[in-house]
Amino acid sequence: MTFAYDIRSNLTMLVDLLNTSGDIAADGDELTTTAKLREFAARHDFSGPLIAAASDVEDTLRLRARFAAALDSSIDAETDEEFETGTEAVVNEINLTLGNSGSVPQLVKHDGWDWHLHATGSSASLADRVAADVALVLIDLIRSGDLDRLGRCAADDCRAYLADFTRNRSKRFCDTGGCANRTHVAAFRARRSDADSHI
């Protein structure tokens, strides 16, 4: 699947949101203040005012926890039936999020972006705009059968989320901590050590 720019951008934003959690981020939770939430939104090109209240931080942290739990049920699925159950959990969260955010979808074009969908207006709270974008990108993934493009890093010491944009769905490592390089170096050293011990 070729991802439209807004889908790719929102999927990257979703993965980054999930990876701000204190059990993943190296320096602890990265969304604990209004300033950090504003920085997160600015980093992901949110339109409209980047004003955040303490309630926006709380709402965004709840959103992150809800979607992490729902996505984990599909990511960790070992059977098609478990994956379907996980997908239904994600759908339930999407529907709850769209209802709570007061979503009124509209096509917009701004700031160098071509036509794309916003589920809320720019006057909605920052938390509602983050929530709506999360819901929209997950809708796209579910409708196209690509929810499995969200995964967890394969490194033994990492729990970060990743988005797989590869054609053959082969991405195994996150982009947060050099996990692919560390894993490959460790495997090389283990092979070399094993070969040296047989000499």
Side-chain angles (χ1 to χ4, degrees):
M1 173 182 187
T2 301
F3 291 96
Y5 181 75
D6 59 321
I7 295 171
R8 181 180 282 265
S9 179
N10 282 345
L11 187 51
T12 299
M13 182 272 301
L14 170 58
V15 167
D16 287 349
L17 175 66
L18 295 169
N19 288 338
T20 62
S21 173
D23 62 337
I24 296 172
D27 296 329
D29 199 310
E30 297 175 355
L31 285 182
T32 56
T33 66
T34 56
K36 288 181 177 183
L37 179 58
R38 287 192 311 271
E39 289 169 15
F40 175 84
R43 208 169 47 240
H44 292 286
D45 295 329
F46 274 78
S47 61
L50 299 183
I51 299 168
S55 60
D56 290 311
V57 174
E58 293 165 10
D59 291 346
T60 303
L61 293 177
R62 275 193 297 275
L63 175 88
R64 182 183 69 193
R66 287 184 14 240
F67 275 102
L71 287 166
D72 284 348
S73 64
S74 66
I75 290 170
D76 297 336
E78 295 181 12
T79 66
D80 289 343
E81 186 175 310
E82 288 176 354
F83 184 77
E84 187 58 35
T85 300
T87 301
E88 289 174 12
V90 174
V91 168
N92 290 338
E93 291 301 332
I94 290 169
N95 290 335
L96 177 66
T97 299
L98 290 174
N100 289 345
S101 65
S103 295
V104 180
Q106 45 194 293
L107 278 171
V108 295
K109 186 177 183 179
H110 60 84
D111 301 323
W113 285 56
D114 203 353
W115 291 108
H116 60 283
L117 192 62
H118 278 197
T120 60
S122 61
S123 62
S125 73
L126 189 53
D128 283 345
R129 287 183 281 151
V130 170
D133 281 357
V134 165
L136 286 179
V137 75
L138 288 171
I139 288 169
D140 287 329
L141 291 181
I142 289 169
R143 291 182 65 215
S144 64
D146 287 309
L147 187 59
D148 62 347
R149 290 200 178 263
L150 283 170
R152 290 275 199 162
C153 185
D156 291 336
D157 60 345
C158 184
R159 293 284 297 147
Y161 291 86
L162 61 88
D164 186 352
F165 295 113
T166 64
R167 249 178 218 246
N168 61 357
R169 298 172 192 245
S170 61
K171 185 168 182 169
R172 296 181 47 229
F173 298 101
C174 70
D175 298 322
T176 61
C179 293
N181 189 44
R182 283 187 299 107
T183 302
H184 292 117
V185 167
F188 171 78
R189 288 182 179 158
R191 285 190 306 273
R192 188 170 182 183
S193 176
D194 187 47
D196 290 346
S197 68
H198 287 86
I199 294 177

